[in-house]
Amino acid sequence: MGQYPTRSTASGAVVVRPDGRLNMVAAPALRKQLHALIDGGNTRVVVDLSGTEFIDSSGLGALISGLKVARQAGGDLRIAAPTRQVVTVLELTNLNRVLRTHESPDVAFDDPS
């Protein structure tokens, strides 16, 4: 699995958009890409989950790993537009308390949370 598409928001955050299944096959690529973006100086990252139809513990691990690295670099990682399945998994694992969802990637860094 290669890199996921990225773009920048008006506020300067980098958006990564994984699609399909974010599982043990795809999660290592996302983790590597998030770490590379943050190591490259992009400390405000949004993961757009609007195209992610499925996430498992490996996918959650990639998001948490990215969050940890971003915060250690003085930034943050936020998620946006999760699908219903992703929201359900976040709620079941209580990770919705750590990874708060935002309506869209473009507004993820507009609020003070």
Side-chain angles (χ1 to χ4, degrees):
M1 179 123 257
Q3 286 203 339
Y4 295 107
T6 61
R7 67 178 177 87
S8 294
T9 66
S11 65
V14 174
V15 179
V16 179
R17 188 177 187 272
D19 58 351
R21 300 176 63 82
L22 195 46
N23 57 17
M24 63 185 258
V25 175
L30 178 62
R31 179 186 324 250
K32 183 177 179 182
Q33 186 173 1
L34 292 173
H35 285 236
L37 286 168
I38 296 161
D39 291 344
N42 299 294
T43 58
R44 294 179 353 136
V45 179
V46 181
V47 180
D48 178 355
L49 296 172
S50 62
T52 304
E53 62 191 41
F54 176 85
I55 192 168
D56 68 5
S57 60
S58 300
L60 292 174
L63 294 175
I64 296 299
S65 176
L67 175 66
K68 181 179 175 185
V69 171
R71 288 190 175 165
Q72 287 174 342
D76 201 7
L77 179 141
R78 299 182 180 180
I79 59 173
T83 59
R84 185 74 223 142
Q85 191 273 342
V86 173
V87 170
T88 300
V89 171
L90 289 169
E91 289 172 350
L92 286 172
T93 58
N94 281 325
L95 286 175
N96 58 330
R97 297 178 183 192
V98 178
L99 292 167
R100 279 180 267 137
T101 61
H102 299 271
E103 187 176 313
S104 89
D106 296 301
V107 300
F109 278 95
D110 287 354
D111 60 17
S113 65

